[in-house]
Structures are given as C-alpha cells and as structure tokens.
Amino acid sequence: MKKVNDIPLKHYFETIKAKIFTIKNISWKSPRIIGGSIVLMLLMGSGLVYLNSTTSAVYIVVNGEKIGLVANEAQAEEMIDQILSEKGAPLGIEAKTHDGITYSSVRIKNADFRMLSKENLAEDISYYVDGVMLTVNKEPIFVLAKAEDGDKLLNDLKEYYAQPSDKNLVSSVEFEDEVETQPVEVPIEQAISYEQALEKLKQGNLQKVEYTIQENDSWWLIARKNDMMTKEVLASNPGTNEDTILKPGEKIVLEKVKPYINVVSEGIRTETETIPFDVITEQDSSLSSGQTKVKQPGSDGQKEVQYAYVQKNGKIVSQTVKDEKVLKEAVSQVIKKGPQRVTVAYSRGSGSTASGLSWPLRRGITSYYGYRGSDFHTGIDIDGDQGEPYVAAGAGKVVSAGWAGNYGRTIVIDHGNGVMTRYAHSTKLLVSVGESVSKGQRIGLVGSTGRSTGSHLHFEVIINGSTVNPLKSLR
Ligand SMILES: [Zn+2]
C-alpha cells in the first residue's frame, strides 16, 4: 500500500490530476474496483491542494444581495458597527438599520479574494434614527436626531430669549405656543443635529404674507404697520424702490421672519441710570447784559432703577418702574447771569439757513420731509433701534425736554440765529431744559413714544418758527 508521502514530489501533481480525472468515472461505493486506501489518498491529496490555493471568506448579504467579501463574520460585524457609528456621529447618535444583513461562508481561490471596502458597504445600507419630532401648534417643525436632547433644546431656547444675567432676574419663561415633542423613527437624512435644531429655532421661519395696499400708504408706512424696515419691504418685492408708486387695492408681498416658537419671559431688570443735573440761573447785576458765569459746575448723579418687565422673544413688551435708589445725588449747575434780555419762545435771528448741522443719527431715512398722502410730514424719520443713542445736530441750548403729545418724549435745541432742531419719539432723554449741548453730544435714545408705529427718530429743523427740509441743512 502506497502512502501519499511515498510519491515523489515531482509526480505528485500529475498523479492527482490523473486520479481526479479518473475519479469521475468510478463509483465511490465500489471498493472492489478501487481500493479504499486509494480513495483516502485521493481525498487527502486534493484536499491539501485545495486548502493551499483557496481561503475561507464570508459574503456580506444585504437584503438578499451579496455585496462583497470579508475575512470572517467578526470582521463584518465590526465593519458594520463602525459604519453605523460614523453615519450617526454628525448627529451625536448611533445610526441604526433595518436592512436584513446576513453572512454566508464560502471558500474561494486566493487570487479571487477582494476585501469589500467600508465605503462600498456603507453605500448599500439604509440608515434610520430614533429621534423626536418637534411640533408647534400641531405643526411639525423638524426631527431632532438625539431624542434625549429634546428637553435641553427647549430649555436652551428659553434661556436664549430670556437672557438671564446679573442685570436680568428672570422669574418665569413660557412658550406662548403649544410645543410638543414625540418619539419618531425617520431615515437619517430627515433628522438634524442639536446644533442645527437650536440654530433653526433662533433664526425663525421666513413667511410670505400678502398685503393689500391701503389709501395713503407709503413704503415707509407699510413697513411701520408690519414692524419691518422699509428696505425689507422693498426686498420682498423685487424690482421696487422707494419711488415705486403704490396703487391702493393692489397686492404686494411681505417676507417676514417669525420665530417658530414665541417665548414670553418676565422678571426684574436692574439698570444704573444717569440723573442729569439741573441748571439754576441767578441774576447778577455786576455782570453785563447777556454775560454768564458758572458759579458752580454741575455733575450728573446716578441711580439704580428696578423695572418689572415682560419680554417676548427677547424684546421688551412692557415695563414698569418697581424701585429707584439714588446712588449719587446730582449737583446742580449754578450760573450767574447779567441783566436779562427779552426772551421769546423761539429765538429769532437773521440767519435764514441752518447750514452746518450734522446728522443726529447715521442711519437710513424711512420717511422724507413733505406731503405723505394728505398729511404734511414736518421732518425726516431716521431708522433706529430702540435705545440707540442719537446726538445733537449742532451746539446749542436745550429749550424743551419732556413729553410733547404726539411727538412723545422730545427735545428741542436752540442753536441761535433763529435755528432750532427737534428730536421726537425718544425712549429716554439724556439732557434737560437749560442745558448747553455741544455738537455730536448724546442727547437721547431712539424710541417709539407718542404717535409712532415703530422705533425711529423724527428730526425737524425749524428756522424762524417754521419747519424746513432737514436734508437741505445736514452735512
Ligand atoms: Zn416723523
């Protein structure tokens, strides 16, 4: 009986080949035709050759389709775990899949083994996330991929609008809308990350609203009525500019950004404010007529004011003074003055122009001097944010500072030579009557007091008691 080992090596393969050829024609169940030992020899021989030139591998099968080969199941599983982690990473989660993924073991020729790349496998899998859907007034807004972050997202939005700080003691923050989160499973591309979600909520939603032009409307007026800037209204209607004529009854589009969720907060705000000093004038006959002399320089005081406020989406809706505490008393300025000349309501002079005035606020004009529909607009409106400071257009003396009906909180400055300027709708005045101001000095803060539909500065130039177009005087 020959052993496999006894066959000289150089004949070994020839023998096997011949036997394999022969083997097809023999019956395995005929030990009388061919000896059992020979069968054993052939099996062992061919088996060794097979093992040396082939390898075991595993097909990854996705939904019944063979995608490619990897070395073994463990490797396949590791690869899939990695893919799911990488897919979910930008969203802060582990992605999942519902694809049927199975493995099928094979032996293939060494030369035929091509390892499946992670990238190629990743393309053949569909991914899902277990997120939460945010709905506002039953309207779905988005799906947040990481469900656990749902509460944090809403709390962070509340904090963003409530602006708690050393100054702002927030007592309550609430959503004005019905806000709900519910678990939902979606394909991964339909979900967004925590950062994207918060950014989206902060930015708000662009909404297009149709507006029917009313009698006497101007671009400025439409902007004011809708709490927008004139340039925003114009931008919503391509091809228009401030000179485009508005025809009553026709429709235009207003593109407004509205928050998805309205956040109302209440609390106490503490501000440190200036107490402007008073000016006291004493007659002094030792001085010549019109001559003045400062007897005691004035200095501003300081007070701490507590406001109870209500904010909506970070903007103050209402506030009332709750408490005031003087930190430093103001010191009055005492001026000695020679024998008084005749004073008049408006100083009159020879100057018929008011050249050399400078802009009280360097922002866009939202309404010009002249007829606005049937009304005559006695000044220009300069766009400004609530609380934005404006300055004196020229040096002069404050002849009026306080509430003035439709003008709201208003300052009038007499610049001499019959020229005066008026600053209306302020939220706050920083000067008081009798005070001398220099050109460019901050005198008040922009607001929307009196008859005003939005924060702006109404600015007038008055010459010898009559208003003139300020644009002819401003430099
Ligand atoms: Zn105005």
Side-chain angles (χ1 to χ4, degrees):
M1 190 173 85
K2 276 186 178 176
K3 286 181 183 169
V4 170
N5 286 353
D6 296 334
I7 301 170
L9 204 60
K10 71 174 192 180
H11 301 301
Y12 180 78
F13 291 104
E14 288 167 25
T15 316
I16 296 290
K17 264 189 205 165
K19 294 302 174 193
I20 287 171
F21 182 73
T22 327
I23 213 161
K24 288 176 183 163
N25 302 318
I26 58 166
S27 161
W28 290 103
K29 288 175 182 172
S30 306
R32 277 176 294 161
I33 295 172
I34 188 159
S37 58
I38 294 172
V39 171
L40 184 65
M41 180 203 79
L42 287 171
L43 280 175
M44 287 172 72
S46 60
L48 279 174
V49 171
Y50 183 70
L51 287 174
N52 282 339
S53 60
T54 67
T55 184
S56 72
V58 160
Y59 267 117
I60 300 182
V61 183
V62 178
N63 299 328
E65 193 190 335
K66 285 180 184 170
I67 303 302
L69 287 165
V70 292
N72 51 51
E73 263 189 46
Q75 194 184 40
E77 278 167 2
E78 195 190 322
M79 205 184 237
I80 289 163
D81 283 349
Q82 269 181 24
I83 291 171
L84 293 176
S85 292
E86 284 168 16
K87 282 282 166 188
L91 299 172
I93 47 131
E94 183 96 354
K96 64 177 197 174
T97 180
H98 293 308
D99 291 338
I101 301 179
T102 54
Y103 311 112
S104 136
S105 299
V106 287
R107 286 205 72 85
I108 61 152
K109 284 185 191 162
N110 285 336
D112 291 344
F113 182 76
R114 292 277 180 280
M115 169 96 166
L116 173 64
S117 75
K118 198 166 72 182
E119 292 68 32
N120 284 348
L121 175 58
E123 283 170 18
D124 285 299
I125 299 176
S126 327
Y127 307 93
Y128 290 84
V129 297
D130 283 321
V132 279
M133 179 180 280
L134 178 79
T135 61
V136 178
N137 304 326
K138 307 284 182 209
E139 196 75 34
I141 308 299
F142 53 68
V143 174
L144 174 66
K146 193 173 180 183
E148 308 92 277
D149 280 352
D151 289 342
K152 178 175 152 58
L153 177 72
L154 296 177
N155 282 330
D156 285 357
L157 182 71
K158 281 182 175 175
E159 192 174 322
Y160 171 72
Y161 278 130
Q163 301 153 335
S165 68
D166 293 348
K167 262 173 56 176
N168 263 16
L169 196 68
V170 181
S171 57
S172 77
V173 193
E174 261 151 42
F175 292 141
E176 208 178 53
D177 305 278
E178 190 190 341
V179 178
E180 289 171 307
T181 53
Q182 59 191 73
V184 64
E185 187 197 72
V186 291
I188 198 162
E189 57 277 8
Q190 288 175 24
I192 60 175
S193 72
Y194 172 81
E195 289 75 19
Q196 290 170 319
L198 187 59
E199 199 49 41
K200 198 173 165 81
L201 290 179
K202 284 180 183 176
Q203 279 184 354
N205 186 21
L206 185 72
Q207 293 182 340
K208 291 189 182 191
V209 186
E210 217 174 50
Y211 176 85
T212 306
I213 298 163
Q214 307 294 303
E215 209 68 48
N216 296 328
D217 261 349
S218 67
W219 290 105
W220 175 86
L221 198 55
I222 293 168
R224 289 278 165 242
K225 281 181 189 170
N226 291 280
D227 198 18
M228 293 173 75
M229 301 272 234
T230 306
K231 58 176 182 280
E232 291 172 337
V233 177
L234 293 168
S236 310
N237 296 276
T240 60
N241 59 50
E242 289 195 40
D243 298 327
T244 306
I245 291 167
L246 291 160
K247 294 186 185 121
E250 282 188 357
K251 290 183 168 80
I252 58 166
V253 177
L254 301 177
E255 290 181 347
K256 300 175 77 171
V257 177
K258 287 186 173 173
Y260 287 100
I261 304 173
N262 292 292
V263 182
V264 176
S265 59
E266 292 180 19
I268 303 289
R269 199 177 64 253
T270 308
E271 298 267 20
T272 305
E273 296 181 359
T274 300
I275 309 171
F277 60 82
D278 291 329
V279 180
I280 298 166
T281 310
E282 291 175 357
Q283 297 295 321
D284 187 339
S285 53
S286 68
L287 295 170
S288 58
S289 176
Q291 196 189 354
T292 58
K293 206 173 167 186
V294 176
K295 185 183 169 192
Q296 177 189 288
S299 70
D300 288 338
Q302 242 185 10
K303 61 181 174 180
E304 195 181 79
V305 186
Q306 286 195 335
Y307 295 97
Y309 70 87
V310 180
Q311 278 188 175
K312 185 170 169 179
N313 302 327
K315 286 182 184 161
I316 290 179
V317 180
S318 73
Q319 65 176 19
T320 52
V321 175
K322 229 190 131 227
D323 193 27
E324 267 194 26
K325 194 166 69 189
V326 175
L327 303 174
K328 188 182 143 206
E329 295 283 0
V331 178
S332 297
Q333 176 159 299
V334 182
I335 295 173
K336 289 198 285 183
K337 204 173 186 182
Q340 209 160 5
R341 290 180 294 186
V342 181
T343 54
V344 288
Y346 293 107
S347 72
R348 294 183 189 276
S350 54
S352 56
T353 57
S355 59
L357 292 176
S358 63
W359 286 80
L361 180 62
R362 295 217 173 262
R363 293 282 291 264
I365 296 175
T366 54
S367 184
Y368 290 91
Y369 180 81
Y371 282 101
R372 196 160 75 185
S374 57
D375 293 335
F376 194 85
H377 191 222
T378 52
I380 55 169
D381 289 338
I382 306 173
D383 219 342
D385 294 328
Q386 181 83 15
E388 194 173 348
Y390 61 84
V391 301
K397 191 171 184 182
V398 179
V399 291
S400 165
W403 192 267
N406 287 347
Y407 281 125
R409 272 189 208 98
T410 299
I411 296 169
V412 181
I413 297 175
D414 187 345
H415 303 284
N417 282 332
V419 179
M420 302 177 107
T421 50
R422 179 182 273 131
Y423 312 77
H425 306 308
S426 315
T427 187
K428 193 172 166 184
L429 307 181
L430 305 176
V431 291
S432 44
V433 177
E435 211 171 305
S436 293
V437 294
S438 53
K439 184 180 196 166
Q441 180 184 332
R442 287 182 174 197
I443 53 171
L445 305 181
V446 173
S448 185
T449 54
R451 189 165 163 261
S452 167
T453 49
S455 72
H456 72 285
L457 174 67
H458 171 94
F459 175 67
E460 289 180 7
V461 175
I462 304 153
I463 298 178
N464 294 332
S466 309
T467 61
V468 298
N469 187 350
L471 294 183
K472 294 197 169 136
S473 308
L474 291 174
R475 291 285 175 276

